């Protein structure tokens, strides 16, 4: 994209290859959650213990979701809690999204649907009330830019066109290449969140005119991290709640991890350094872990 997009951070800037790794979720009933993620999202269990499980796409041995059981964890209230708004499962192409939408209709699963111009998306809620987006990106050369911001919106999804893109093929589970594309959080203050994610972590601001929200990314992507204040007045998620325990950002090497760590510390946030995968929390306790690419 020739047009300059976004606002670079004032100091350290993440490498273009930075991307989301795994999300780790706290759930109240492990077996119930596994059933949901297998049946509805089409994921498979890669590893399982008495209290946890890792899941990935069909034909792929990379874990994208880890479930950690806490019996009795409270369901997320309808208005939400500060913390996770949703994590977003990125399918490799529009045809896969079309098959997924048809699959949801076949099993009678309720979903919200939106066209964001840069992507087409379906919204679900898991048994504990945790928000999930499943989406496919439109080609990058079709993304529009206005005043250095990517043009994004929330419009009705052309469901018929999306389903037709499947070419009549059935959904056989999340296809190889399915990843976590982005994470989106409820926060108490957008500018305060920008101190951690933009000034500290080193993400570019990509869209900042969306009401009550800010979208940030590396490498010109529409967003790896979104934050919003749409759950105004809600308390932060606690250890007693179903919630996001942590999310991973994958960087190319140990040198970039060290640079990001120093930048986060320089912005005034504490970093836990352990086994080459440091972790830090924003002002609402949302935990980020940095991991080097394999």
């Amino acid at each position: 994209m020739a047009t300059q997009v976004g606002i670079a951070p004032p100091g350290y800037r993440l490498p273009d290859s930075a991307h989301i790794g795994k999300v780790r979720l706290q759930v109240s009933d492990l077996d119930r959650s596994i059933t949901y993620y297998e049946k509805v999202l089409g994921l498979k269990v890669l590893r399982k213990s008495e209290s946890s499980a890792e899941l990935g796409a069909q034909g792929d041995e990379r874990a994208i979701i880890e479930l950690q059981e806490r019996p009795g964890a409270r369901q997320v209230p309808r208005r939400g809690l500060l913390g996770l708004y949703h994590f977003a499962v990125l399918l490799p192409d529009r045809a896969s999204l079309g098959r997924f939408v048809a699959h949801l209709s076949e099993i009678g699963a309720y979903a919200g649907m939106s066209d964001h111009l840069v992507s087409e998306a379906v919204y679900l809620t898991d048994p504990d009330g945790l928000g999930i987006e499943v989406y496919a990106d439109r080609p990058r050369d079709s993304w529009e830019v206005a005043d250095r911001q990517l043009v994004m919106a929330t419009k009705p999804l052309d469901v018929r066109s999306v389903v037709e893109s499947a070419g009549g093929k059935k959904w056989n589970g999340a296809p190889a290449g399915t990843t976590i594309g982005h994470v989106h959080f409820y926060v108490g203050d957008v500018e305060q969140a920008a101190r951690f994610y933009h000034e500290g972590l080193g993400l570019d601001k990509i869209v900042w005119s969306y009401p009550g929200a800010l979208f940030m990314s590396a490498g010109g992507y529409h967003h790896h991290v979104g934050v919003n204040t749409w759950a105004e007045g809600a308390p932060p998620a606690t250890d007693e709640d179903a919630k996001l325990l942590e999310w991973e950002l994958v960087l190319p090497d140990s040198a970039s991890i060290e640079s990001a760590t120093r930048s986060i510390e320089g912005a005034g946030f504490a970093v836990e350094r352990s086994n080459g995968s440091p972790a830090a929390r924003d002002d609402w306790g949302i935990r980020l872990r940095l991991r080097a690419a394999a």
Side-chain angles (χ1 to χ4, degrees):
M1 194 179 298
T3 307
Q4 188 171 8
V5 181
I7 299 173
Y12 175 73
R13 189 185 193 197
L14 287 167
D16 288 353
S17 62
H19 61 277
I20 307 297
K22 180 172 64 176
V23 293
R24 185 166 167 247
L25 309 171
Q26 179 163 280
V27 300
S28 62
D29 185 319
L30 182 62
D31 290 337
R32 181 181 68 167
S33 292
I34 288 173
T35 298
Y36 177 87
Y37 283 94
E38 287 181 328
K39 178 183 176 182
V40 179
L41 267 64
L43 299 175
K44 67 174 183 179
V45 174
L46 300 173
R47 287 166 288 279
K48 185 177 184 294
S49 70
E50 185 176 337
S51 61
S52 67
E54 289 187 309
L55 296 89
Q58 306 296 325
D60 200 331
E61 296 307 308
R62 171 182 45 179
I64 61 172
I65 294 173
E66 180 181 337
L67 304 173
Q68 184 74 42
E69 185 179 56
R70 185 183 181 101
R74 294 181 298 231
Q75 182 159 340
V76 179
R78 191 171 186 84
R79 63 178 177 142
L81 296 169
L82 298 187
L84 182 69
Y85 176 45
H86 62 243
F87 64 90
V89 177
L90 174 60
L91 298 175
D93 49 47
R94 193 173 194 245
S96 298
L97 183 64
R99 294 175 196 127
F100 180 67
V101 170
H103 156 72
L104 293 179
S105 177
E106 289 169 1
I107 66 173
Y110 172 79
M113 301 183 186
S114 295
D115 182 343
H116 295 303
L117 304 182
V118 295
S119 63
E120 295 170 295
V122 174
Y123 293 91
L124 300 154
T125 304
D126 86 351
D128 287 292
L130 297 169
I132 305 167
E133 176 180 345
V134 179
Y135 74 112
D137 283 330
R138 284 200 165 95
R140 281 205 185 202
D141 59 11
S142 72
W143 298 356
E144 296 184 7
V145 180
D147 297 326
R148 297 184 65 175
Q149 298 185 73
L150 279 180
V151 178
M152 292 174 59
T154 300
K155 296 186 174 183
L157 183 68
D158 186 342
V159 179
R160 182 189 296 269
S161 174
V162 171
V163 172
E164 286 176 351
S165 73
K169 293 183 179 179
K170 292 287 188 180
W171 173 255
N172 290 314
T178 297
T179 63
I180 302 298
H182 65 266
V183 286
H184 194 157
F185 305 129
Y186 286 130
V187 298
D189 183 273
V190 167
E191 289 307 313
Q192 193 174 341
R195 279 186 48 244
F196 182 84
Y197 296 102
H198 174 62
E199 298 172 25
L201 181 57
L203 291 164
D204 292 354
K205 293 182 178 181
I206 297 295
V207 179
W208 51 90
S209 61
Y210 227 78
L214 172 64
F215 299 93
M216 296 163 281
S217 78
Y221 193 53
H222 54 74
H223 66 299
H224 290 111
V225 174
V227 296
N228 72 67
T229 55
W230 304 335
E232 185 176 3
T238 72
D239 290 343
E240 303 303 317
D241 297 300
K243 65 174 185 175
L244 175 73
L245 291 171
E246 69 177 24
W247 63 281
E248 291 179 342
L249 186 68
V250 182
L251 302 182
D253 49 40
S254 58
S256 54
I257 286 180
E258 181 61 25
S259 295
T261 298
R262 290 180 179 177
S263 181
I264 292 169
E265 290 174 331
F269 296 89
V271 177
E272 307 162 28
R273 294 173 178 262
S274 61
N275 301 323
S277 294
R281 297 178 186 269
D282 70 8
D283 290 316
W284 300 276
I286 301 167
R287 183 181 172 96
L288 156 69
R289 183 170 298 280
L290 301 175
R291 179 170 65 80

